[in-house]
Amino acid sequence: MSKRQNSKHKIDRRLGVNLWGRPKSPLNNREYGPGQHGQRRKKPTDFGTQLMSKQKLKGYYGNIGEKQFRRLFDEAVRRKGDTGENLIGLLERRLDTVVYRMKFVPTVFAARQLVNHGHVLVNGKRLNIASYQVKDGDVIEIKQKSREMALILGAIASSEREVPEYIEVDHGAFKGKVVRTPALADVPYPVQMEPNLVVEFYSR
């Protein structure tokens, strides 16, 4: 289980943004950081801006430690094309992210837990590795015995989010697939993400 499972709102307040666009975020009532100095505003340095961009990406995908995030970045560098776009593509192809995008769960934290507990099948086989990189055409589905879970049914019925265009999903059959790797502009982030600043951070 993610160590940050119970810290979603702390992440929001620390970063000063409603990271997942959720109605229960404390930022909807108080647009400043935690603690007695939270309302002070300082102009960030270039390093501070780059670090914040990295922390927002890591926080958004909720369960990624520094070592794992750095490995994803190194893979993005190794691949052809724009490193920032490659990084977003790798993050969006994580199995837990795909489950979240398919609206089988309300949060990215719940997605990791669902995968870790063996409720998700990939091409008919149970897979409990949240960081697994989903390929085009891989069929992602909820295990038959898990389809009556209140968490899953509630998420499907929710109007809080829409399924993005690069994902195909049949909620009636509890299955779907990734159609293509999304570009940054395709990903429905509630806040602005700047992977180019993450590239600058690691390139220092």
Side-chain angles (χ1 to χ4, degrees):
M1 182 184 295
S2 169
K3 289 181 286 188
R4 298 178 183 170
Q5 179 78 16
N6 298 316
S7 307
K8 297 186 288 293
H9 299 327
K10 288 183 180 179
I11 295 172
D12 271 0
R13 290 196 65 201
R14 186 173 68 245
L15 296 177
V17 292
N18 185 354
L19 199 53
W20 299 278
R22 304 213 72 200
K24 292 183 179 179
S25 171
L27 265 296
N28 295 334
N29 299 319
R30 291 176 294 184
E31 294 187 353
Y32 52 85
Q36 61 178 326
H37 305 300
Q39 296 186 58
R40 293 183 182 177
R41 292 186 180 275
K42 294 188 295 184
K43 185 176 181 180
T45 62
D46 288 345
F47 172 80
T49 302
Q50 294 163 2
L51 177 62
M52 182 65 72
S53 297
K54 177 174 78 83
Q55 298 296 66
K56 280 200 298 185
L57 259 187
K58 283 176 61 180
Y60 181 84
Y61 292 96
N63 52 353
I64 301 180
E66 179 60 29
K67 286 184 179 179
Q68 194 172 24
F69 192 79
R70 183 60 197 249
R71 282 199 298 270
L72 281 170
F73 176 79
D74 290 341
E75 175 63 21
V77 171
R78 193 183 64 79
R79 296 189 176 196
K80 293 181 180 179
D82 182 85
T83 300
E85 293 281 354
N86 290 344
L87 179 61
I88 295 300
L90 289 167
L91 288 165
E92 284 294 311
R93 282 187 176 272
R94 285 174 56 95
L95 179 57
D96 53 357
T97 304
V98 173
V99 170
Y100 173 65
R101 293 289 183 222
M102 289 179 174
K103 275 186 65 178
F104 288 136
V105 287
T107 68
V108 289
F109 299 91
R112 172 161 189 172
Q113 193 170 32
L114 199 75
V115 173
N116 284 348
H117 290 185
H119 299 291
V120 176
L121 305 179
V122 177
N123 299 327
K125 296 181 180 180
R126 191 180 74 149
L127 190 62
N128 61 1
I129 303 170
S131 60
Y132 173 81
Q133 287 284 310
V134 175
K135 304 175 185 66
D136 286 351
D138 279 352
V139 177
I140 314 301
E141 63 183 308
I142 302 299
K143 194 169 64 173
Q144 186 72 41
K145 291 182 179 179
S146 308
R147 295 180 180 182
E148 297 301 316
M149 291 174 63
L151 175 83
I152 295 171
L153 296 177
I156 291 173
S158 172
S159 59
E160 194 175 299
R161 293 183 293 118
E162 299 295 330
V163 178
E165 292 183 358
Y166 51 91
I167 298 284
E168 280 185 4
V169 63
D170 181 348
H171 284 141
F174 294 88
K175 66 174 62 176
K177 61 183 178 181
V178 176
V179 178
R180 58 180 173 82
T181 300
L184 173 62
D186 299 326
V187 182
Y189 293 121
V191 299
Q192 183 180 9
M193 293 295 186
E194 298 170 297
N196 58 307
L197 295 182
V198 180
V199 176
E200 290 178 13
F201 176 88
Y202 282 123
S203 301
R204 285 176 298 112

